[in-house]
Amino acid sequence: SDGAGTLTATCQTMNGNWHRSSLSTRQCSDRRAGNRDGTLFCESPDSASVSTYQWQGSFRQSCRDFSVDSAGTLPATCQAANGSLHRSSLSTRQCSDHRAGNRGGILFCESPDSSTVGANQWQGSFRQTCRDISSDGAGTLTATCQTMNGNWHRSSLSTRQCSDRRAGNRDGNLFCEG
């Protein structure tokens, strides 16, 4: 943000590219801004926008055009690993804790189950460029990671390979850091 009241940022697009965007704070009286496919926009405090704040999770990293209807259902357009876009939705009946993720372009319920808790034991820079992060009962980390050309690749890393549980992303593949 500059002294004249302009917010400028480099925002990621749905296809993985980066776009420089600016937004005047005069346009956003409540100073709430978001990223819509690489472009800054004003997030308004209307009922639809406020409802989207109920939904948390990793879906926000790879989905767009999301809102919440009067029944609390979250529809979104999500990007699959091959770059294709899919429209799907989740209801509060399906996800009572309002946590959603994107798996293959389809919304799914994220929860603090063993796969998420296990994934939280892994540290490192991979979290900046990977999504759909989980861990199985043996502690194996699995994630969809972004490649250098913006595509997505599913990768796994076991605790046998990486006993300190520090992982990074190298062109779409998980590797041991440190």
Side-chain angles (χ1 to χ4, degrees):
S1 183
D2 64 15
T6 302
L7 173 66
T8 303
T10 303
C11 302
Q12 192 168 26
T13 63
M14 289 298 292
N15 65 8
N17 293 324
W18 294 90
H19 179 257
R20 191 84 172 150
S21 179
S22 295
L23 184 67
S24 168
T25 55
R26 287 187 301 272
Q27 293 173 276
C28 297
S29 59
D30 62 357
R31 296 183 179 248
R32 296 188 68 90
N35 173 15
R36 184 179 292 133
D37 198 22
T39 302
L40 290 170
F41 73 99
C42 296
E43 291 180 337
S44 64
D46 62 18
S47 59
S49 294
V50 170
S51 297
T52 61
Y53 297 124
Q54 294 174 349
W55 287 88
Q56 300 300 315
S58 63
F59 81 96
R60 292 175 180 272
Q61 298 167 3
S62 57
C63 298
R64 64 182 183 194
D65 303 329
F66 53 87
S67 60
V68 175
D69 66 19
S70 60
T73 300
L74 172 72
T77 302
C78 299
Q79 187 173 17
N82 66 5
S84 64
L85 297 173
H86 301 274
R87 191 80 177 155
S88 67
S89 64
L90 284 175
S91 71
T92 56
R93 198 175 62 253
Q94 293 169 292
C95 293
S96 59
D97 63 355
H98 295 93
R99 291 197 56 79
N102 171 16
R103 184 179 294 132
I106 306 298
L107 289 171
F108 74 98
C109 296
E110 285 182 334
S111 64
D113 61 14
S114 60
S115 66
T116 305
V117 171
N120 289 339
Q121 295 174 354
W122 285 85
Q123 302 300 315
S125 64
F126 77 98
R127 292 185 183 277
Q128 298 168 3
T129 55
C130 297
R131 63 186 185 202
D132 304 331
I133 301 164
S134 64
S135 178
D136 64 17
T140 299
L141 174 67
T142 303
T144 303
C145 299
Q146 195 166 30
T147 63
M148 295 297 287
N149 65 6
N151 292 326
W152 295 89
H153 180 258
R154 195 80 175 145
S155 179
S156 295
L157 190 62
S158 75
T159 54
R160 287 188 315 277
Q161 295 169 293
C162 202
S163 61
D164 66 353
R165 295 182 188 229
R166 290 198 55 79
N169 172 15
R170 186 179 293 129
D171 197 23
N173 293 300
L174 291 169
F175 73 97
C176 293
E177 285 184 329

